[in-house]
Amino acid sequence: MAITTHDTETDVQDRAILVSLVTDKIKRTGIDPELSLQELVQLAETAGVEVLDVLRQNKETPDSRWFIGKGKVEELRMAADALGANTAIFDQELSGAQVRNLEEALDLKIIDRTQLILDIFAGRAKTREGIIQVELAQLSYLLPRLSGQGKNLSRLGGGIGTRGPGESKLETDRRHIRDRITELKRQLDEVVKTRELHRERRRKAGAVQVALVGYTNAGKSTLLKQLTDADVYIENQLFATLDPTSRVLELAGGKEVVLTDTVGFIQNLPHDLVASFRATLEEVNEANLVLHVVDASSPMREEQMEIVQSILQDLGASGTPQIVLFNKIDLCQPVQLEMLPTGTGYLKISAFNPEDLTRITEMIADELAGDTLNFRIPGDRGDISSLLYRVGEVLETTYDENDVLYNVRLNKEDYDKWGYMLADFVDQQ
Ligand SMILES: Nc1nc2c(ncn2[C@@H]2O[C@H](COP(=O)(O)OP(=O)(O)OP(=O)(O)O)[C@@H](O)[C@H]2O)c(=O)[nH]1
Ligand SMILES: [Mg+2]
């Protein structure tokens, strides 16, 4: 993707120069700094920022005072003057002192990747839960950056545009922010309890949960919409979805599952955000099956898949059965298609191809269907027979003297749940 710039100018728009510092430490992470920078451009544009230019520097370690080297600070000042920038956005996380020093030296608004992501989330939050979680993440990010901030406090919290925690909330001191954090956590606890009640109800109703997860912009919401006609927000931008949306999906064969769309993941997802969004992300933990949606056309496909897997691991959901959906194959080059892994658990799809949608529901049905087992039930154990009909799908019934032989399809969860009653009746031959 080319670095895009815009010519249109509005009064309120942030006009930014992006800055990337590649240190030895970053090189060791294996993340391509150029791809990361491309992503930063997308993030900035998503936040409504006009990207004017990009500056890069290679340096063993960051400068403790300026983050970038002194000479680069000068270069940034000249570029900002020449292009009329009012903001500099750094691709790596800055300390509070570095932000302050740069702001004073350059008279530019200084923002780092984390703050930019938090700003985008702030603009997206719609539900009470989402709004509380974002503010909590913003304040947690801000708090350690306030030391010695004095009167400049409100300036730091400004963020992109007029969003962010807002000046009114930040004009007081750290103690007030701590109080606010405590209050937000209390409110969040309440909302979380309500969410847990809903979840509990769904669990009791025996609903099978399927979660759409994946890197931001992979096509999760598009798939939810295509599969269930849900009226959800879809945009070619990062973090279009913030709050989980659930819809009933009917599978081939008539079985129904609850399909949930979730917030997209991204590399270096701010830690405060993950912590604050734990309740929302727990929807993923509850899932019986994870549909991992991948943008197969992305040059960062492999890195993105790894990032998603590591976040799933952090959430404790790495053991949940998973189907990988390689989406957007209509945008793939032939060579990209060839490189995609094949086999069970993988599907190559386009969200807009109805045949692929059918293949998805078939694969979900297969995955949830589980294995078939043979049971031998004595004629006087009608209780066990009816349990089999209730929890499994009886495929075949035959009679052998006083016993009834059943061939039953039973998924793993139901077998785990009812095994203590059924195990004695499994027919080994
Ligand atoms: N060409 C093509 N575009 C697709 C396909 N699936 C989704 N898109 C487009 O990709 C963009 C992102 O789709 P979304 O469904 O919003 O992606 P998401 O994964 O929900 O993204 P976030 O909510 O931001 O995490 C939209 O412009 C979709 O129209 C596909 O199979 N082919
Ligand atoms: Mg979405």
Side-chain angles (χ1 to χ4, degrees):
M1 189 193 76
I3 303 288
T4 47
T5 56
H6 305 273
D7 294 319
T8 47
E9 195 178 325
T10 57
D11 293 347
V12 287
Q13 198 174 25
D14 285 281
R15 296 164 52 82
I17 296 178
L18 308 191
V19 185
S20 168
L21 179 72
V22 182
T23 58
D24 287 354
K25 196 171 155 205
I26 286 169
K27 282 186 194 143
R28 282 197 299 272
T29 64
I31 293 173
D32 182 339
E34 279 310 304
L35 293 177
S36 176
L37 204 46
Q38 282 181 17
E39 198 170 75
L40 190 71
V41 173
Q42 279 182 287
L43 285 167
E45 289 178 348
T46 296
V49 175
E50 186 179 348
V51 177
L52 303 171
D53 200 2
V54 176
L55 293 187
R56 301 168 173 81
Q57 184 171 37
N58 272 295
K59 206 170 173 309
E60 263 172 48
T61 52
D63 185 275
S64 60
R65 232 172 115 63
W66 312 103
F67 188 67
I68 46 177
K70 187 83 176 73
K72 210 67 183 174
V73 176
E74 200 43 45
E75 198 182 317
L76 178 54
R77 183 214 309 282
M78 290 192 312
D81 281 351
L83 298 168
N86 58 10
T87 306
I89 305 180
F90 286 70
D91 199 19
Q92 295 83 21
E93 204 164 291
L94 303 175
S95 72
Q98 286 164 340
V99 170
R100 218 154 37 242
N101 294 336
L102 287 164
E103 279 192 334
E104 273 162 22
L106 293 165
D107 199 27
L108 291 174
K109 184 153 62 179
I110 305 294
I111 287 174
D112 66 14
R113 177 183 248 269
T114 302
Q115 200 182 349
L116 185 60
I117 293 175
L118 291 173
D119 281 340
I120 294 172
F121 271 70
R124 290 273 184 280
K126 296 266 176 334
T127 62
R128 189 163 123 80
E129 183 177 7
I131 292 166
I132 298 172
Q133 290 177 130
V134 172
E135 191 180 343
L136 194 54
Q138 286 182 312
L139 293 178
S140 310
Y141 170 80
L142 203 56
L143 194 58
R145 288 172 168 74
L146 288 179
S147 54
Q149 190 58 32
K151 281 197 221 106
N152 281 337
L153 208 145
S154 57
R155 208 170 141 209
L156 232 193
I160 291 291
T162 52
R163 293 190 296 269
E167 304 219 346
S168 65
K169 291 196 197 78
L170 292 174
E171 63 212 3
T172 47
D173 60 6
R174 271 197 280 175
R175 192 170 54 77
H176 280 117
I177 293 187
R178 280 210 198 90
D179 289 349
R180 179 79 187 143
I181 288 180
T182 311
E183 169 60 16
L184 287 170
K185 282 189 174 155
R186 194 192 59 73
Q187 290 182 13
L188 191 58
D189 275 351
E190 261 171 41
V191 188
V192 167
K193 269 189 208 125
T194 317
R195 175 181 284 286
E196 269 163 9
L197 279 179
H198 283 304
R199 220 187 273 156
E200 186 63 30
R201 210 175 299 151
R202 280 195 309 221
R203 212 175 7 226
K204 281 214 180 104
V208 175
Q209 312 281 332
V210 179
L212 286 158
V213 304
Y215 209 76
T216 180
N217 211 38
K220 301 174 292 298
S221 302
T222 308
L223 279 167
L224 182 76
K225 184 180 162 85
Q226 294 290 101
L227 287 164
T228 70
D229 284 332
D231 181 18
V232 285
Y233 182 63
I234 295 166
E235 245 340 297
N236 192 13
Q237 58 187 192
L238 306 185
F239 302 120
T241 305
L242 202 56
D243 299 304
T245 308
S246 299
R247 288 290 179 276
V248 172
L249 166 67
E250 189 176 326
L251 302 177
K255 189 180 165 81
E256 288 187 342
V257 299
V258 176
L259 185 63
T260 302
D261 181 21
T262 60
V263 57
F265 299 161
I266 197 167
Q267 57 150 324
N268 299 332
L269 196 62
H271 179 78
D272 294 325
L273 207 53
V274 178
S276 301
F277 273 75
R278 195 154 269 280
T280 306
L281 289 169
E282 237 135 59
E283 292 283 333
V284 177
N285 257 355
E286 288 287 313
N288 305 92
L289 174 67
V290 163
L291 301 182
H292 176 179
V293 185
V294 179
D295 178 352
S297 70
S298 165
M300 290 175 74
R301 172 181 59 83
E302 279 180 53
E303 289 90 343
Q304 293 181 348
M305 288 180 73
E306 273 171 34
I307 288 158
V308 171
Q309 295 300 2
S310 81
I311 295 173
L312 284 178
Q313 199 159 8
D314 288 349
L315 292 172
S318 56
T320 309
Q322 200 179 104
I323 294 175
V324 178
L325 300 176
F326 288 116
N327 191 28
K328 307 197 191 182
I329 55 164
D330 52 298
L331 299 179
C332 286
Q333 307 293 333
V335 54
Q336 277 180 310
L337 282 179
E338 272 166 36
M339 280 163 65
L340 296 177
T342 49
T344 48
Y346 296 103
L347 265 187
K348 293 176 202 172
I349 57 155
S350 164
F352 301 118
N353 181 347
E355 282 167 27
D356 288 348
L357 298 175
T358 309
R359 287 165 61 218
I360 296 171
T361 59
E362 283 169 358
M363 199 179 232
I364 297 174
D366 276 355
E367 181 65 40
L368 294 173
D371 294 329
T372 61
L373 282 171
N374 292 317
F375 291 91
R376 174 181 285 271
I377 315 286
D380 60 354
R381 293 306 303 267
D383 57 328
I384 302 292
S385 295
S386 39
L387 179 63
L388 282 180
Y389 275 100
R390 210 166 67 234
V391 302
E393 185 191 350
V394 176
L395 302 174
E396 204 185 331
T397 315
T398 47
Y399 298 89
D400 182 24
E401 297 191 359
N402 281 334
D403 296 342
V404 191
L405 308 181
Y406 293 101
N407 179 243
V408 183
R409 193 194 292 281
L410 201 59
N411 68 35
K412 190 179 167 306
E413 255 128 63
D414 284 327
Y415 189 77
D416 287 348
K417 193 160 149 197
W418 298 106
Y420 75 99
M421 288 187 70
L422 298 174
D424 287 347
F425 301 99
V426 173
D427 197 4
Q428 301 298 349
Q429 36 173 314

